[in-house]
Amino acid sequence: MENKGNVIILDHPLIQHKISLLRDSNTGTNEFRKLIEEIAMLMGYEALRDLPLKEVEIETPIEKCMTPMIAGKKLAIVPILRAGLGMVGGILNLVPTAKVGHIGLYRDHETHEPHEYYCKLPEPIDQRTIVVLDPMLATGGSGAEAVDFIKQHGGKNIKFMCIIAAPEGLKRLSESHPDIQIYVGHLDRCLNKDAYICPGLGDAGDRIFGTK
Ligand code: PRP
Ligand code: URA
């Protein structure tokens, strides 16, 4: 695990291996979906290591004891539509009681700027740990705007999780929101002229949902 300011690169061998399989253009929709979910779960295991705990009383077959459980208002997971949806199941495997919000954004194909079309967040959002999910952080426009919306709605404790990031997007997101933690599976080389990540994995939404 590599830590630079508010950016944490999750370089675990299992995550790296599964990202390599994701990149392969021969990986079909079914396999791609499974890999996205598995990677989200492995990343979530690290990203949620600071969830607050409280001591509760439990009776074992032997005796009563005080033992730690996750405290307070539970987690909110917020996928950025569409591709972030693919990561939701992986986090729900870890915390099945988490609430799920949605932010709908799409990138304009000409300007590459994000446009919002949907936002619904679980209340009280200001008391929850919020994990924003999007497999791709390219220019960083969608990620930065999603975090802006969540803050406008009162969100405070925000983590952003992406599977592949470009240096440009990581810089934009970490500079515009220095108060959030950004978890990255792999930092790629650059963006191409169409603002796709190189080497990347292509269009994540299309590969998850089988569209073109
Ligand atoms: C993709 C991806 C991110 C965004 C990243 O979504 O899932 O949300 O692009 O690019 P950015 O960092 O330059 O903003 P897209 O806009 O293609 O929408 P989709 O998920 O509905 O396909
Ligand atoms: N969105 C994607 O799905 N892939 C990229 O490489 C860039 C943005």
Side-chain angles (χ1 to χ4, degrees), residues 80-83 105-107 134 136-142 203 205:
I80 301 179
L81 306 179
R82 294 175 298 164
L105 291 173
Y106 71 91
R107 283 200 323 178
D134 195 328
M136 309 304 277
L137 186 67
T139 66
S142 304
D203 188 306

Side-chain angles (χ1 to χ4, degrees), residues 4 16-17 32 58 67 112-113 171 174-175 178 196 212:
K4 276 196 194 131
Q16 298 313 307
H17 177 82
F32 193 89
I58 296 274
T67 190
H112 309 133
E113 281 303 308
K171 183 169 188 294
S174 61
E175 286 180 0
Y196 274 84
K212 197 76 203 111

Side-chain angles (χ1 to χ4, degrees), residues 83 107 134-139 164 191-192 194-206:
R107 283 200 323 178
D134 195 328
M136 309 304 277
L137 186 67
T139 66
I164 296 182
L191 295 176
N192 68 14
D194 298 318
Y196 274 84
I197 301 175
C198 304
L201 50 71
D203 188 306
D206 284 346

Side-chain angles (χ1 to χ4, degrees), residues 8 37 47 62 66 76 87 90 143 146 171 177 184 193 195 199 208:
I8 301 112
E37 196 169 307
I62 310 297
M66 298 302 287
M87 299 172 74
K171 183 169 188 294
H177 296 290
V184 179
K193 65 174 178 23
I208 290 170

Side-chain angles (χ1 to χ4, degrees), residues 18-31:
K18 288 175 192 293
I19 291 176
S20 299
L21 296 174
L22 266 190
R23 293 186 192 279
D24 189 339
S25 50
N26 293 315
T27 298
T29 304
N30 184 23
E31 185 65 11

Side-chain angles (χ1 to χ4, degrees), residues 2-3 15-16 27 29 40 47 49 51 63 79 81 90 94 103 121 125 138 162 180 189 205 211:
E2 199 183 320
N3 214 326
I15 295 176
Q16 298 313 307
T27 298
T29 304
R49 65 162 50 248
L51 273 186
E63 62 179 24
L81 306 179
L94 299 173
I103 291 184
L121 300 173
I125 196 71
C162 60
I180 70 170
R189 198 177 69 250
T211 49

